[in-house]
């Protein structure tokens, strides 16, 4: 039994705070037409409103876990919430599109401090017998955010509360953040931390690597994948190589490091990362599907948003099922990967034939979301299971980064396939092929999982 008697109350408020980050992603997408009309914004400016948030989050989240180790997870989490709260107000009252983009950058900074603290806290607060349930609760907020973001966004935009339109979607963050801050301050005790110096050199190198990798993926299609896009991506590999050499040198000199390379020698941790990367290719669906429904089928924004809800329902139910039903990690991973593989390849075939989504397609979307929802908590649980407590913050930062990189990489690859094929073949066929790739990528995950099973057999686990 865990020594933390109020651990479930702490988790409740940690999860509420973590809920804000994915909610903001889904709900802001719904508001883009209203933002465009309000500021007479260009397509590039609208893309920046979305991209700057994800880019900042992905570049900084790897450092967030280590900050929690150094300064304490309570302090870092509440700092992130305050930044998110203030920047949400700044977004809502932005006088210009430039101010809105800058405020979205600050939102990304705040959001990057949240998720790694939750994952690390679950590893510390809960023992093995309760960790699956805790991770199930944490995982379910992402599916809930997908549902609430689509529905609440549409409702708020149409209500015109106090004569406001897109501003309301940012103001809704404020009361949630205030409730969460109150709960954390009153329930979560301050930690005794072993203060270390932050590895600033490592911070600069890893952020440079992530920016050089992620930025071209976000803007590659805009610039038609020009040669210099690939040069910048190649530069990210140089920064990664420099980062690894630099961190190894600091470890040999017994200095503090941002990421300990010993983490990657833990094969149970390292082999799980490609699986996490691959199942987050599902982000490509949220780029292609709304575009397909609104541009090709001419559906209204609200109707298109509702069409994504079955996936969100499955994504919500998956972690709940994982928390409620006691079974082995092997069972859940096989189930999750199998559902993603079968559902997305099946959807690819159906869309190329039937064009308009029907009940069967919505059912497959639900099953795909269920597969995603099942995989998320079980892969987090398995990834941090053998990690030392003093390294759990670093591990959480790495996992959060891999989730973001997988989402951006999946969005870039699936989006490029869809938009490139759309100019050559029929749009439904192009969409079908693109989402089939999401399913087929899971074969890579299956390959890595077979290696994990071999390791477990060798270690008699």
């Amino acid at each position: 039994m865990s020594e933390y008697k109020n651990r479930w109350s702490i988790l409740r408020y940690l999860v509420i705070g973590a809920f804000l980050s994915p909610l903001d992603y889904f709900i802001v997408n719904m508001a883009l037409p209203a933002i465009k009309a309000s500021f007479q914004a260009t397509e590039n400016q609208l893309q920046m409103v979305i991209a700057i948030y994800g880019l900042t989050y992905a570049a900084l989240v790897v450092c967030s876990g280590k900050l929690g180790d150094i300064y304490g997870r309570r302090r870092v989490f509440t700092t992130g919430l305050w930044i998110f709260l203030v920047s949400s107000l700044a977004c809502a009252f932005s006088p210009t599109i430039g101010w809105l983009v800058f405020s979205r950058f600050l939102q990304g900074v705040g959001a990057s401090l949240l998720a790694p603290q939750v994952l690390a806290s679950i590893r510390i607060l809960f023992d093995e017998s309760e960790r699956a349930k805790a991770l199930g609760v944490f995982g379910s907020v992402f599916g809930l955010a997908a549902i609430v973001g689509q529905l609440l966004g549409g409702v708020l935009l149409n209500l015109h509360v106090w004569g406001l339109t897109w501003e309301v979607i940012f103001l809704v963050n404020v009361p949630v953040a205030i409730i969460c801050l109150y709960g954390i301050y009153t329930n979560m005790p301050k930690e005794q931390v072993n203060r270390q110096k932050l590895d600033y050199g490592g911070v600069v190198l890893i952020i440079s690597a992530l920016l050089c990798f992620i930025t071209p993926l976000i803007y590659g299609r805009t610039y038609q994948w020009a040669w210099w896009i690939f040069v910048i991506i190649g530069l990210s590999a140089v920064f990664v190589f420099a980062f690894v050499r630099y961190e190894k040198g600091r470890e040999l000199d017994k200095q503090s490091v941002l990421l300990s390379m010993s983490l990657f020698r833990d094969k149970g941790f390292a082999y799980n990362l490609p699986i996490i990367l691959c199942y987050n290719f599902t982000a490509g669906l949220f780029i292609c599907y709304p575009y397909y429904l609104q541009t090709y089928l001419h559906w209204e924004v609200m109707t298109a948003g509702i069409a994504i809800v079955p996936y969100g329902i499955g994504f919500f139910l998956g972690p709940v099922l994982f928390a409620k039903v006691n079974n082995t990690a092997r069972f859940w991973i096989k189930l999750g990967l199998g559902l993603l593989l079968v559902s997305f390849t099946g959807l690819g075939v159906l869309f190329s034939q039937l064009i308009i989504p029907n009940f069967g397609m919505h059912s497959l979307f639900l099953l795909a979301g269920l597969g995603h929802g099942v995989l998320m908590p079980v892969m987090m649980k398995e990834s941090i299971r053998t990690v030392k407590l003093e390294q759990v913050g670093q591990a959480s930062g790495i996992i959060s980064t891999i989730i973001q990189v997988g989402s951006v990489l999946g969005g870039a690859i699936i989006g490029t396939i869809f938009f490139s094929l759309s100019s050559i073949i029929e749009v439904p066929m192009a969409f079908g092929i693109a989402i089939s790739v999401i399913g087929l990528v899971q074969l890579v995950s299956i390959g890595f999982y077979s290696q994990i099973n071999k390791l477990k057999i060798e270690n008699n686990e």
Side-chain angles (χ1 to χ4, degrees):
M1 181 66 70
S2 173
E3 62 185 276
Y4 299 93
K5 292 183 179 179
N6 64 336
R7 58 195 178 278
W8 290 106
S9 294
I10 296 171
L11 179 66
R12 182 187 308 124
Y13 292 108
L14 287 172
V15 164
I16 291 171
F19 172 75
L20 288 172
S21 176
L23 174 69
D24 210 62
Y25 170 80
F26 288 108
I27 205 169
V28 171
N29 282 337
M30 297 286 291
L32 288 180
I35 292 171
K36 181 178 181 178
S38 179
F39 292 113
Q40 301 300 306
T42 65
E43 293 298 327
N44 283 340
Q45 288 172 326
L46 289 177
Q47 186 179 15
M48 184 60 76
V49 169
I50 297 296
I52 194 69
Y53 176 80
L55 185 61
T56 307
Y57 183 102
L60 298 182
V61 73
V62 68
C63 306
S64 172
K66 184 64 175 181
L67 289 174
D69 289 339
I70 297 174
Y71 299 108
R73 273 160 274 283
R74 179 182 186 264
R75 183 177 180 183
V76 173
F77 189 83
T78 52
T79 299
L81 272 177
W82 276 115
I83 295 172
F84 198 88
L85 189 158
V86 173
S87 58
S88 293
L89 286 169
C91 286
F93 297 107
S94 293
T96 65
I97 189 70
W99 183 270
L100 178 59
V101 169
F102 177 70
S103 301
R104 288 283 287 164
F105 161 76
L106 293 178
Q107 270 195 316
V109 174
S112 72
L113 297 175
L114 302 178
Q117 313 316 321
V118 182
L119 185 54
S121 295
I122 288 173
R123 173 69 173 82
I124 293 166
L125 292 172
F126 297 92
D127 57 29
E128 185 69 25
S129 63
E130 293 183 320
R131 204 169 293 146
K133 183 178 179 182
L135 284 166
V137 172
F138 176 44
S140 65
V141 305
F142 293 87
L144 188 62
I147 300 169
V148 173
Q150 300 296 331
L151 297 181
L152 183 64
V155 170
L156 290 176
L157 287 166
N158 289 322
L159 280 179
H160 300 287
V161 180
W162 302 310
L164 303 174
T165 54
W166 60 269
E167 297 91 343
V168 181
I169 66 166
F170 294 109
L171 291 175
V172 77
N173 295 330
V174 176
V176 178
I178 290 172
I179 291 169
C180 186
L181 282 164
Y182 172 79
I184 293 295
Y185 284 134
T186 55
N187 286 277
M188 191 172 185
K190 291 183 178 179
E191 304 157 78
Q192 295 294 323
V193 292
N194 181 20
R195 285 293 180 90
Q196 312 166 39
K197 287 185 177 180
L198 184 61
D199 173 14
Y200 291 103
V203 169
V204 171
L205 287 170
I206 195 63
I207 288 177
S208 298
L210 288 167
L211 287 175
C212 286
F213 184 74
I214 295 170
T215 308
L217 292 177
I218 291 174
Y219 288 101
R221 189 163 52 84
T222 302
Y223 293 100
Q224 299 179 326
W225 298 103
W227 62 270
W228 52 268
I229 292 285
F230 297 98
V231 172
I232 297 174
I233 292 174
L235 189 60
S236 70
V238 176
F239 279 117
V240 168
F241 178 76
F243 173 76
V244 172
R245 291 291 299 271
Y246 176 79
E247 295 294 276
K248 284 182 176 178
R250 286 183 68 88
E251 278 192 295
L252 288 173
D253 294 338
K254 310 231 179 271
Q255 297 179 338
S256 64
V257 294
L258 180 66
L259 296 178
S260 174
M261 293 299 109
S262 64
L263 268 172
F264 298 96
R265 290 195 289 273
D266 179 351
K267 293 182 180 178
F269 173 76
Y271 280 18
N272 280 316
L273 297 181
I275 300 176
I276 295 172
L277 180 87
C278 289
Y279 76 68
N280 278 288
F281 268 52
T282 49
L285 173 69
F286 295 96
I287 292 174
C288 301
Y289 196 34
Y291 182 91
Y292 174 78
L293 296 174
Q294 293 175 50
T295 305
Y296 183 74
L297 297 183
H298 305 291
W299 286 15
E300 295 292 332
V301 174
M302 186 67 178
T303 309
I306 292 172
I308 300 174
V309 168
Y311 189 94
I313 293 172
F315 197 0
F316 171 74
L317 292 177
V320 174
L321 195 64
F322 171 72
K324 294 287 186 182
V325 179
N326 184 24
N327 215 316
T328 63
R330 180 178 299 181
F331 168 81
W332 292 115
I333 294 171
K334 285 182 176 179
L335 176 65
L337 291 175
L339 285 173
L340 286 180
L341 175 61
V342 172
S343 298
F344 276 111
T345 51
L347 282 165
V349 173
L350 289 174
F351 268 103
S352 63
Q353 302 294 322
L354 300 178
I355 303 175
I356 298 175
N358 59 22
F359 177 79
M361 293 173 177
H362 292 313
S363 300
L364 283 175
F365 275 124
L366 188 144
L367 291 176
L370 188 68
H372 191 172
V374 162
L375 278 171
M376 187 176 185
V378 71
M379 292 311 304
M380 287 182 174
K381 180 174 182 288
E382 288 299 291
S383 297
I384 62 174
R385 184 169 57 88
T386 58
V387 173
K388 298 174 184 176
L389 285 180
E390 61 268 22
Q391 293 181 325
V392 71
Q394 298 176 51
S396 301
I398 293 168
I399 291 168
S400 298
T401 302
I402 293 296
I403 289 172
Q404 292 305 308
V405 171
S407 298
V408 174
L409 185 60
I413 291 174
I414 305 306
T416 299
I417 291 171
F418 172 59
F419 289 108
S420 298
L421 290 178
S422 295
S423 61
I424 303 170
I425 60 178
E426 291 291 329
V427 174
M429 180 70 74
F431 179 65
I433 292 171
I435 61 172
S436 292
V437 173
I438 299 175
L440 295 174
V441 165
Q442 307 317 311
L443 293 173
V444 177
S445 297
I446 292 169
F448 274 98
Y449 184 63
S450 67
Q451 292 300 313
I452 295 172
N453 277 331
K454 287 179 183 177
L455 285 172
K456 289 182 176 179
I457 293 170
E458 291 172 4
N459 297 327
N460 295 316
E461 291 186 30

